[in-house]
């Protein structure tokens, strides 16, 4: 027997492309704008969200029959906040350097609308295993876009990838800079992320016309 | 019997239990991990101080910083830092744990007009003396802090900056080497006046060759963080001026 049924596989694969939380549902844009100026930050954020959404979806799913509907949003927020604080504290104790890189994302993870969206739309109505897969799928879909945006912004904005210069030295004018190329300062400010996300949406919809809404 | 999850009583009881459970988990975790976290923070401070005076494991690339490894930092700190002083008004005393003084609290005390302690670290490397001063200020989103190492001519020998929540890729780059390295060799004196060092936009010396213009090149897209760094340095210099004068007079 396969580990994952076809339905289960779809839970992971759909959010990667045709039901991507950023490009199709247009959620999580705020964090995509804020932290994608460098690739490393995008990667750290993606991994953090995979953990929080995967675990959070399971917790909410396990509690789904006992959560009072009047306070369900507060309960969801508490679950996210608790998970994020646990991760932060454990890292601070055992992986101090990594925890410092992560510090700035803690607030952003708690307010990430994809997480609340998946709790509300999926985990409250499905079992733990399927909720877990849904959480992993959606956070992977989110992470993929973050990494693509981070790649272009860091490369075109700073001429580096993961902080390593790949286009030469912009001040000494070596490598590509010797030919007159300049770093595009616009790429490192948040509006550039909107443009990159916009281009990804455009490419995705032109490849798959079924995604284009009818007016 | 099915649970009546919509009733008010149930909602209140559920909320109360949830608060107790989550509170207990977090409290237990915090107290269990506290010793480790405290230790890590202590090592980090030692690493930062040594970094400012040039004791680090930086390679050739100008990207991120490489500290002395955590397992040896305690011994290295003891061997490089010869004196730790605490300034209290006109009184200067030695204190082997001056590096643990929380500058944020001391600055708050100054604002309230209460007694305060200002730490200074005197390091020695290759026969040269370094006066290392802690700094604390405000960036765009949250606190920024660091250390500045001076010699007796008030020339910067190195700096270390850090931040709590500046924007990754923008303000967060104050802790990148290419920014911090520019401070090396700058003087905090303008003639005989204490001027600090400004993080200047539109600086026409991006290679930072002129070292007595009290300016380093700003980070693109991080104006407010850069201004915060400038302000932090000049505030610190003002605060330590009486002590710095005694070094110059020597």
């Amino acid at each position: 027997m396969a580990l994952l049924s076809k339905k289960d596989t779809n839970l992971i694969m759909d959010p990667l492309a045709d039901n991507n939380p950023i490009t199709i549902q247009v959620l999580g844009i705020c964090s995509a704008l804020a932290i994608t100026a460098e690739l490393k930050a995008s990667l750290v954020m993606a991994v953090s969200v995979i953990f929080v959404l995967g675990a959070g979806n399971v917790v909410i799913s396990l509690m789904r029959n006992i959560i009072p509907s009047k306070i369900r949003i507060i309960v969801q927020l508490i679950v996210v906040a608790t998970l994020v604080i646990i991760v932060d504290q454990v890292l601070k104790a055992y992986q101090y350097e990594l925890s410092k890189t992560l510090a700035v994302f803690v607030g952003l993870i708690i307010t990430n609308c994809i997480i609340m969206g998946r709790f509300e739309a999926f985990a409250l109505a499905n079992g733990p295993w399927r909720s877990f897969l849904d959480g992993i799928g959606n956070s992977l879909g989110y992470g993929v876009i973050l990494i693509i945006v981070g790649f272009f912004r860091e490369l075109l904005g700073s001429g580096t990838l993961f902080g390593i210069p790949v286009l030469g030295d912009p001040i000494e004018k070596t490598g590509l800079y010797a030919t007159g190329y300049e770093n595009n300062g616009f790429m490192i400010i948040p509006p550039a992320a909107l443009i990159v996300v916009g281009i990804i949406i455009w490419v995705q919809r032109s490849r798959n016309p079924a995604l284009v809404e009818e007016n | 019997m099915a649970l009546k999850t919509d009733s008010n009583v149930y909602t209140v009881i559920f909320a109360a239990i949830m608060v107790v459970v989550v509170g207990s988990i977090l409290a237990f975790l915090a107290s269990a991990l506290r010793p480790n976290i405290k230790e890590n923070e202590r090592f980090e401070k030692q690493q930062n101080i040594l970094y400012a005076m040039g004791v680090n494991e930086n390679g050739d690339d100008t990207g991120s910083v490489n500290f002395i490894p955590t397992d040896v930092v305690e011994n290295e700190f003891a061997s490089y830092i010869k004196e730790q002083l605490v300034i209290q008004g006109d009184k200067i005393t030695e204190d082997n744990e001056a590096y643990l003084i929380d500058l944020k609290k001391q600055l708050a005390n100054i604002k309230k007009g209460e007694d305060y302690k200002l730490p200074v670290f005197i390091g020695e490397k290759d026969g040269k003396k370094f006066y290392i001063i802690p700094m604390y200020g405000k960036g765009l989103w949250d606190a920024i802090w660091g250390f500045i190492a001076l010699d007796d001519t008030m020339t910067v020998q190195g700096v270390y900056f850090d931040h709590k929540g500046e924007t990754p890729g923008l303000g967060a780059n104050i802790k990148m080497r290419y920014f911090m390295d520019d401070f090396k060799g700058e003087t905090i004196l303008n003639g005989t006046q204490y001027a600090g060092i400004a993080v200047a936009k539109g600086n026409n010396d991006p290679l930072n060759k002129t070292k007595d213009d009290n300016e380093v090149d700003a980070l693109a897209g991080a104006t407010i963080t850069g201004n915060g760094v400038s302000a932090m340095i000049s505030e610190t210099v003002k605060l330590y001026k009486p002590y710095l004068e005694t070094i110059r007079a020597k």
Side-chain angles (χ1 to χ4, degrees):
Chain A
M1 200 184 83
L3 184 65
L4 298 175
S5 68
K6 190 161 185 302
K7 252 183 165 178
D8 290 345
T9 319
N10 284 346
L11 283 176
I12 293 198
M13 298 311 288
D14 272 358
L16 286 181
D18 292 350
N19 197 16
N20 190 286
I22 295 186
T23 59
I24 305 298
Q25 300 170 29
V26 198
L27 289 174
I29 293 290
C30 4
S31 56
L33 301 190
I35 49 106
T36 49
E38 43 181 32
L39 195 49
K40 186 180 160 204
S42 309
L43 195 67
V44 173
M45 182 68 170
V47 173
S48 320
V49 169
I50 288 174
F51 173 80
V52 174
L53 187 50
N57 252 5
V58 172
V59 174
I60 292 290
S61 168
L62 288 171
M63 291 167 61
R64 69 188 185 283
N65 294 325
I66 57 165
I67 297 176
S69 58
K70 285 177 196 161
I71 57 164
R72 66 182 196 288
I73 301 284
I74 299 173
V75 172
Q76 290 164 12
L77 261 179
I78 292 174
V79 170
V80 185
T82 311
L83 283 171
V84 170
I85 293 170
I86 290 175
V87 176
D88 187 48
Q89 292 287 307
V90 171
L91 286 180
K92 260 193 188 145
Y94 299 109
Q95 287 291 326
Y96 194 68
E97 270 307 300
L98 190 62
S99 83
K100 293 200 70 191
T101 323
L102 200 70
V104 68
F105 306 108
V106 171
L108 283 170
I109 296 175
I110 296 174
T111 56
N112 191 319
C113 24
I114 294 174
I115 296 182
M116 297 293 284
R118 291 330 291 173
F119 285 0
E120 187 74 6
F122 200 91
L124 278 177
N126 289 282
W129 172 239
R130 298 196 68 210
S131 298
F132 175 71
L133 295 178
D134 177 78
I136 299 294
N138 275 280
S139 41
L140 280 176
Y142 168 78
V144 166
I145 301 297
L146 234 57
I147 288 167
I148 295 174
V149 177
F151 174 84
F152 285 110
R153 286 184 70 192
E154 187 176 342
L155 183 68
L156 302 177
S158 314
T160 58
L161 286 175
F162 288 111
I164 302 162
V166 289
L167 301 182
D169 189 318
I171 294 177
E172 305 281 357
K173 303 280 180 210
T174 61
L176 198 57
Y177 300 102
T179 65
Y181 176 79
E182 295 272 345
N183 280 337
N184 186 347
F186 176 70
M187 291 306 282
I188 55 174
I189 57 173
L194 270 185
I195 293 180
V196 180
V197 171
I199 293 173
I200 296 172
I201 294 177
W202 178 32
V203 171
Q204 200 180 8
R205 291 184 186 211
S206 58
R207 285 168 58 103
N208 184 358
L211 296 173
V212 182
E213 297 92 351
E214 293 292 332
N215 276 322
Chain B
M1 196 186 80
L3 276 172
K4 272 194 179 173
T5 54
D6 274 343
S7 79
N8 286 345
V9 176
Y10 179 83
T11 305
V12 171
I13 294 174
F14 183 91
I17 293 175
M18 179 120 194
V19 168
V20 172
V21 171
V22 170
S24 318
I25 293 174
L26 292 182
F28 170 75
L29 195 76
S31 58
L33 298 177
R34 198 171 173 76
N36 277 26
I37 295 176
K38 280 266 157 215
E39 191 83 337
N40 284 336
E41 285 171 353
R42 197 165 66 81
F43 288 147
E44 186 196 11
K45 265 199 161 173
Q46 295 183 334
Q47 285 172 325
N48 293 175
I49 292 170
L50 290 179
Y51 185 92
M53 65 175 279
V55 182
N56 52 49
E57 303 230 316
N58 281 342
D60 289 334
D61 76 292
T62 52
S64 46
V65 300
N66 295 306
F67 295 119
I68 291 274
T70 317
D71 48 344
V72 296
V73 71
E74 194 139 40
N75 289 335
E76 295 283 298
F77 188 76
S79 71
Y80 281 105
I81 301 297
K82 301 294 180 199
E83 272 181 278
Q84 296 189 53
L85 304 177
V86 177
I87 306 170
Q88 279 178 288
D90 299 335
K91 218 170 59 189
I92 299 179
T93 46
E94 265 198 65
D95 180 351
N96 276 339
E97 290 200 329
Y99 73 101
L100 294 177
I101 291 176
D102 184 354
L103 193 64
K104 183 185 170 190
K105 273 188 199 155
Q106 306 307 322
L107 294 179
N109 285 351
I110 293 175
K111 261 194 185 157
K112 284 189 274 180
E114 291 173 6
D115 280 351
Y116 58 90
K117 294 174 170 179
L118 295 175
V120 181
F121 315 101
I122 301 179
E124 224 175 276
K125 195 180 111 187
D126 307 328
K128 200 171 168 181
K129 248 185 174 182
F130 297 82
Y131 300 88
I132 305 145
I133 296 171
M135 305 181 283
Y136 188 88
K138 257 195 298 208
L140 169 61
W141 302 113
D142 214 314
I144 53 174
W145 61 90
F147 294 90
I148 183 165
L150 301 166
D151 66 4
D152 45 16
T153 64
M154 298 298 112
T155 305
V156 178
Q157 301 301 309
V159 290
Y160 179 74
F161 298 123
D162 207 341
H163 63 95
K164 191 167 174 197
E166 297 308 292
T167 321
L170 303 172
N173 287 353
I174 56 168
K175 62 181 292 191
M176 295 299 272
R177 273 185 62 194
Y178 64 82
F179 180 66
M180 295 194 291
D181 285 356
D182 276 358
F183 286 79
K184 221 177 276 176
E186 290 279 343
T187 171
I188 60 165
L189 290 175
N190 190 355
T192 53
Q193 295 293 311
Y194 285 86
I197 298 163
V199 177
K201 264 208 290 190
N203 185 333
N204 51 16
D205 180 26
L207 289 177
N208 200 41
K209 282 180 177 150
T210 318
K211 291 290 191 183
D212 53 4
D213 58 354
N214 304 94
E215 277 189 356
V216 296
D217 205 32
L219 294 164
T223 312
I224 297 175
T225 311
N227 290 348
V229 171
S230 303
M232 175 169 80
I233 297 173
S234 72
E235 292 297 315
T236 307
V237 166
K238 250 187 243 165
L239 208 58
Y240 280 87
K241 195 176 150 191
Y243 175 73
L244 296 177
E245 279 294 291
T246 63
I247 303 171
R248 281 182 70 209
K250 271 181 197 169

